[in-house]
Amino acid sequence: QGTRDHPPVQAALRERLLGTVVACFKRHGAAAIDTPVLELRETLMGKYGDNAKLIYELQDQGGELLALRYDLTVPFARYLAMNKITNIKRYHVAKVYRRDNPATTRGRYREFYQCDFDIAGQFDPMLPDAECLKIVHEILSDLQLGDFLIKVNDRRILNGVLAVCGIPESKFITTCSTIDKLDKVPWEEVKNEMVGEKGLSPEAADCIGEYVQLHGGLDLIEQLLQDPKLSQNKLAKEGLGDMKLLFEYLTLFGITGKISFDLSLARGLDYYTGVIYEAVLLQQENDHVEDLVGVGSVAGGGRYDGLVGMFDPKGRKVPCVGVSIGIERIFSILEQRVKASGEKVRTTETQVLVATPQKRLLSARLKLISELWDAGIKAEMLYKKDPTLLKQLQYCENMGIPLAAIIGEQELSDGVVKLRDVATREEVRRMPFYTRFQKSFQQL
Amino acid sequence: QGTRDHPPVQAALRERLLGTVVACFKRHGAAAIDTPVLELRETLMGKYGDNAKLIYELQDQGGELLALRYDLTVPFARYLAMNKITNIKRYHVAKVYRRDNPATTRGRYREFYQCDFDIAGQFDPMLPDAECLKIVHEILSDLQLGDFLIKVNDRRILNGVLAVCGIPESKFITTCSTIDKLDKVPWEEVKNEMVGEKGLSPEAADCIGEYVQLHGGLDLIEQLLQDPKLSQNKLAKEGLGDMKLLFEYLTLFGITGKISFDLSLARGLDYYTGVIYEAVLLQQENDHVEDLVGVGSVAGGGRYDGLVGMFDPKGRKVPCVGVSIGIERIFSILEQRVKASGEKVRTTETQVLVATPQKRLLSARLKLISELWDAGIKAEMLYKKDPTLLKQLQYCENMGIPLAAIIGEQELSDGVVKLRDVATREEVRRMPFYTRFQKSFQQL
């Protein structure tokens, strides 16, 4: 339950999707790494807050106590610390595991792919951060998912807001998780939760509300830099200064049109220390509302400068910033779209079926297909001694194979092959096999 | 222990290797499927004989009792039965898990990749089986691993041999596991084990020995078809008839030169029911003996007509034949070879570094790199505001980036970009950005 098989159609769609994402990561100079699915339990403990209960643990069968990885970020940090790597740009596409309540219609599973891109190293401010946002922008554009918005905030600004509104530091995290709901429910409800459940005073809540309902661009950053309260807070001022720099870089990238500085964005994970971001798809006029609510964010990430240090015996820090593409949600959307369009997804790449129109020609088929394979051509034949031509052509139609290479007695004695276009039924060429045959394939 | 990270160099080599294997699977018309890493424990139980103790089990944290998959074949059979699929050609490249004693120098790990290709369905005899052998032949040739031999046998022939030598059926499996050692130790030792440990009479062992020391091609098959004892055994006769057909097909494929009908091949797994095969690399003159002993078989598989039926409530059978490429062993060989050759493996695919020779040109770099990315060009820049040109060119050399696109004040005012070949230091062209710039990249 909550895990699933990926039959050929899904696997083919997934390959298409992952291909686009990985192409983008490579375009930005990332190297691939791979880490084991099994991690030591102690590596994962204390990194996910309340979510630790969702970690799958292996039975103690002797040997180390193991667990299945919960995400790709913690293993990455563990990898950096273990190998004393202080500088890398890597991507990682792999499955992670959570003992969650699966919500499969929303693309939430217990076993699912994550696609992560991260930049580790001590660099000039906001340059890697800006690249991460550019990557999100490129991928969502390349996938043609419709209009989207990338919300950006900074943990330091958020903490500054809480501080200037008089919230004690012990309540920062729990208050943030309430603020995070502002994209789904109106401010009044958020305020009620702050006051009723989290024990904030109504005045403190209103103070927070004045800030976290703001969103905008460079103008808003300038305005907050002048804000009499916020500008007095060191962390917030640092965060706002960096945010300004980030927006300058994003302007040079030409992507600020889809970026919103949004003070309500908090993101759940404890380990973020600076810029955070999350991309959401915007509703299309012709979409059903419920579909869109179901989809939610399709990418997210941020800066986590302290995580690697947690794995280093001497606590040496390696600043990191990264982004995770919500591939399962995007996959759900693509799948629905393909279903709606009635597109027939090909699950194989076969270019030609080797066929015979008469009996007793199996040897000729085996000889020809073998030469095709050796020439790098994707070819199939039916595993029958004497199939009818009709059966063979039907197979082409079912599987979307565009061509049939037909050898009958006549062709054999003439030393040629008949190449049939399955869709048009035109028998386009006769040609001597095998060398010229091969050439004509290269033109396909 | 027994699991490992794959740092960029290994991940890049692995991508190269898997690319070759998957290209072959696709050339033969296979569709990809994916199944979960987690299977129900009951699915895996009773499929692996003594090896069941090597299965990783998950802790009972509520919900179903789960285990990590041990191979890709049993999940494939479970998938076919669950979805009532009677006809498919699929490949699957994924990690499997075994609580084995890792022997990492021999490429044996607790977490490792398997690359499987299988054909399921009721077809005319030996056609899918022959294709599996062709695939092994193509992959080992494509990978240029040096000379190899594919040993072929049939469980029915082996069982026939045991029957005509008077071995009781209850001792078939244990006797087979002794026979299987014949590729590593001389016959005398094998015989001693049969008599001393397995309780066979010396006469019975000698009878077996007469057969299992045989290997050859079509001649040997013909000879055994005339064998007074063996030809009386129904199973053996069936197996020999199919073996003859298989060799006819392999002759048409032109690959019998590397195929040996070898009666000592037994293979461990219980579920094989017909043809079995295993590919081994042959020793090169310049190789050290110990390296080769360490490597062993690099591919194997066979026919398993009963496995799917074990998962079907009504026991409906789906005949299957498949092959598994021993990617970890091949990877060890490739890795050693790359190390020995001193080849510097590129871990990224970056085509160009965007560089500036003077200070205060960050904006120009950001603008140019953004246009390059949008044009699909793989580009990087240093995450520094004002890096020296030397540092930038050194980065190209370290990472194997072939080109630097340099924009200085002069270039900016002329509206051109200087394109520098990093290896030759030639500054090959100046051209106006950005449209013609893009064209020149397409020629790279």
Side-chain angles (χ1 to χ4, degrees), chain B residues 162 167 174-213 264:
Chain B
L162 297 179
I167 313 300
T174 180
T175 309
C176 277
S177 78
T178 304
I179 293 173
D180 220 15
K181 297 179 182 167
L182 205 50
D183 60 337
K184 295 192 191 77
V185 301
W187 165 248
E188 281 312 312
E189 268 183 59
V190 171
K191 182 181 169 182
N192 285 344
E193 185 176 315
M194 284 182 179
V195 177
E197 290 177 34
K198 305 292 165 84
L200 270 53
S201 72
E203 295 74 28
D206 282 332
C207 172
I208 296 172
E210 265 175 53
Y211 288 105
V212 298
Q213 292 180 80
S264 73

Side-chain angles (χ1 to χ4, degrees), chain B residues 20-134:
Chain B
T20 304
V21 173
V22 168
C24 179
F25 292 163
K26 286 186 173 178
R27 198 156 62 230
H28 287 261
I33 72 161
D34 193 16
T35 63
V37 168
L38 304 170
E39 291 279 349
L40 291 176
R41 260 183 229 182
E42 59 184 66
T43 301
L44 306 188
M45 290 309 149
K47 309 300 185 305
Y48 302 108
D50 285 351
N51 289 334
K53 62 180 184 295
L54 303 182
I55 295 172
Y56 273 109
E57 301 186 357
L58 265 72
Q59 220 173 54
D60 185 358
Q61 295 168 288
E64 301 107 333
L65 292 178
L66 301 171
L68 300 185
R69 64 180 164 213
Y70 178 88
D71 67 5
L72 302 177
T73 309
V74 167
F76 175 57
R78 191 262 312 145
Y79 167 78
L80 294 186
M82 224 167 103
N83 296 286
K84 299 194 172 47
I85 295 167
T86 56
N87 195 326
I88 193 174
K89 182 156 52 173
R90 83 88 178 79
Y91 73 91
H92 193 182
V93 176
K95 288 175 176 176
V96 302
Y97 298 85
R98 299 188 184 174
R99 295 180 55 250
D100 209 344
N101 287 325
T104 52
T105 51
R106 291 164 57 192
R108 205 165 80 193
Y109 291 88
R110 291 181 166 183
E111 174 184 63
F112 58 95
Y113 276 99
Q114 281 199 339
C115 296
D116 281 21
F117 172 97
D118 293 83
I119 301 171
Q122 185 68 57
F123 300 115
D124 281 344
M126 296 299 115
L127 284 170
D129 315 60
E131 184 165 357
C132 288
L133 289 167
K134 178 77 171 85

Side-chain angles (χ1 to χ4, degrees), chain A residues 111-228:
Chain A
E111 173 184 64
F112 57 96
Y113 276 98
Q114 282 199 339
C115 295
D116 282 21
F117 173 96
D118 293 84
I119 301 170
Q122 185 68 58
F123 300 116
D124 281 344
M126 294 299 116
L127 285 170
D129 315 61
E131 184 165 358
C132 288
L133 289 167
K134 177 78 171 86
I135 283 174
V136 174
H137 192 280
E138 282 178 32
I139 288 174
L140 295 182
S141 306
D142 289 351
L143 291 173
Q144 300 178 293
L145 295 170
D147 205 11
F148 59 87
L149 185 72
I150 308 173
K151 300 178 189 174
V152 184
N153 198 4
D154 192 300
R155 272 285 166 90
R156 292 167 296 175
I157 300 175
L158 207 52
N159 287 349
V161 166
L162 297 179
V164 303
C165 294
I167 313 300
E169 216 166 314
S170 62
K171 286 193 176 173
F172 275 15
I173 288 177
T174 180
T175 309
C176 277
S177 76
T178 304
I179 293 173
D180 220 16
K181 296 178 181 168
L182 206 51
D183 59 339
K184 295 192 191 76
V185 300
W187 165 246
E188 281 311 314
E189 267 184 59
V190 170
K191 181 181 170 184
N192 285 344
E193 185 175 315
M194 283 182 179
V195 177
E197 289 177 34
K198 306 292 166 83
L200 270 54
S201 72
E203 296 73 30
D206 282 333
C207 170
I208 296 172
E210 266 175 50
Y211 288 105
V212 297
Q213 292 180 80
L214 299 172
H215 51 89
L218 261 176
D219 286 359
L220 176 59
I221 300 168
E222 295 288 4
Q223 176 195 319
L224 291 174
L225 275 169
Q226 307 302 325
D227 183 272

Side-chain angles (χ1 to χ4, degrees), chain A residues 358-370:
Chain A
Q358 294 107 8
K359 294 195 172 183
R360 281 184 300 280
L361 288 169
L362 176 61
S363 303
R365 262 194 295 153
L366 288 171
K367 255 184 111 134
L368 177 58
I369 201 169
S370 169

Side-chain angles (χ1 to χ4, degrees), chain A residues 334-437:
Chain A
L334 283 186
E335 214 186 0
Q336 282 172 27
R337 195 177 288 179
V338 165
K339 260 185 204 156
S341 76
E343 180 196 338
K344 215 186 155 200
V345 179
R346 279 200 71 180
T347 59
T348 64
E349 299 176 8
T350 309
Q351 299 167 298
V352 64
L353 186 83
V354 174
T356 36
Q358 294 107 8
K359 294 195 172 183
R360 281 184 300 280
L361 288 169
L362 176 61
S363 303
R365 262 194 295 153
L366 288 171
K367 255 184 111 134
L368 177 58
I369 201 169
S370 169
E371 303 228 9
L372 294 179
W373 285 330
D374 292 343
I377 292 163
K378 294 167 190 155
E380 284 186 78
M381 55 173 266
L382 296 198
Y383 299 121
K384 272 186 88 64
K385 258 180 102 159
D386 292 315
T388 64
L389 189 57
L390 185 67
K391 275 258 160 68
Q392 295 172 85
L393 294 175
Q394 274 171 347
Y395 184 81
C396 290
E397 279 175 16
N398 292 341
M399 301 299 288
I401 300 173
L403 289 173
I406 301 171
I407 21 171
E409 279 153 13
Q410 190 59 49
E411 286 77 20
L412 260 184
S413 73
D414 295 351
V416 300
V417 168
K418 200 154 61 177
L419 212 50
R420 179 183 168 114
D421 185 309
V422 175
T424 64
R425 298 181 186 191
E426 271 178 278
E427 292 182 343
V428 276
R429 292 207 235 185
R430 297 165 153 266
M431 71 201 70
F433 51 135
Y434 296 98
T435 35
R436 284 192 43 202
F437 194 74

Side-chain angles (χ1 to χ4, degrees), chain B residues 98-302:
Chain B
R98 299 188 184 174
R99 295 180 55 250
D100 209 344
N101 287 325
T104 52
T105 51
R106 291 164 57 192
R108 205 165 80 193
Y109 291 88
R110 291 181 166 183
E111 174 184 63
F112 58 95
Y113 276 99
Q114 281 199 339
C115 296
D116 281 21
F117 172 97
D118 293 83
I119 301 171
Q122 185 68 57
F123 300 115
D124 281 344
M126 296 299 115
L127 284 170
D129 315 60
E131 184 165 357
C132 288
L133 289 167
K134 178 77 171 85
I135 283 174
V136 175
H137 192 279
E138 281 178 32
I139 289 175
L140 295 182
S141 304
D142 289 350
L143 291 173
Q144 299 179 295
L145 295 170
D147 206 10
F148 59 88
L149 185 71
I150 309 173
K151 299 179 190 173
V152 185
N153 198 4
D154 192 300
R155 272 285 166 91
R156 292 168 295 176
I157 300 174
L158 207 52
N159 287 349
V161 165
L162 297 179
V164 304
C165 293
I167 313 300
E169 217 167 313
S170 61
K171 286 194 178 171
F172 275 15
I173 289 177
T174 180
T175 309
C176 277
S177 78
T178 304
I179 293 173
D180 220 15
K181 297 179 182 167
L182 205 50
D183 60 337
K184 295 192 191 77
V185 301
W187 165 248
E188 281 312 312
E189 268 183 59
V190 171
K191 182 181 169 182
N192 285 344
E193 185 176 315
M194 284 182 179
V195 177
E197 290 177 34
K198 305 292 165 84
L200 270 53
S201 72
E203 295 74 28
D206 282 332
C207 172
I208 296 172
E210 265 175 53
Y211 288 105
V212 298
Q213 292 180 80
L214 299 172
H215 52 89
L218 261 176
D219 287 357
L220 176 59
I221 300 168
E222 296 287 3
Q223 176 195 322
L224 291 174
L225 275 168
Q226 308 303 324
D227 184 272
K229 282 185 288 181
L230 212 52
S231 60
Q232 298 309 306
N233 182 283
K234 192 170 162 283
L235 268 185
K237 216 179 149 186
E238 251 180 60
L240 285 166
D242 278 347
M243 189 60 73
K244 192 179 162 188
L245 197 57
L246 178 67
F247 266 77
E248 283 166 15
Y249 295 160
L250 300 178
T251 305
L252 290 164
F253 286 162
I255 60 172
T256 44
K258 295 200 185 299
I259 311 256
S260 167
F261 171 40
D262 186 326
L263 280 95
S264 73
L265 180 70
R267 288 187 65 76
L269 289 167
D270 295 3
Y271 53 60
Y272 290 119
T273 55
V275 172
I276 47 178
Y277 31 82
E278 196 166 288
V280 291
L281 297 184
L282 297 179
Q283 196 177 338
Q284 304 287 304
E285 299 226 346
N286 54 347
D287 277 353
H288 293 290
V289 179
E290 62 253 306
D291 285 352
L292 252 127
V293 172
V295 165
S297 97
V298 289

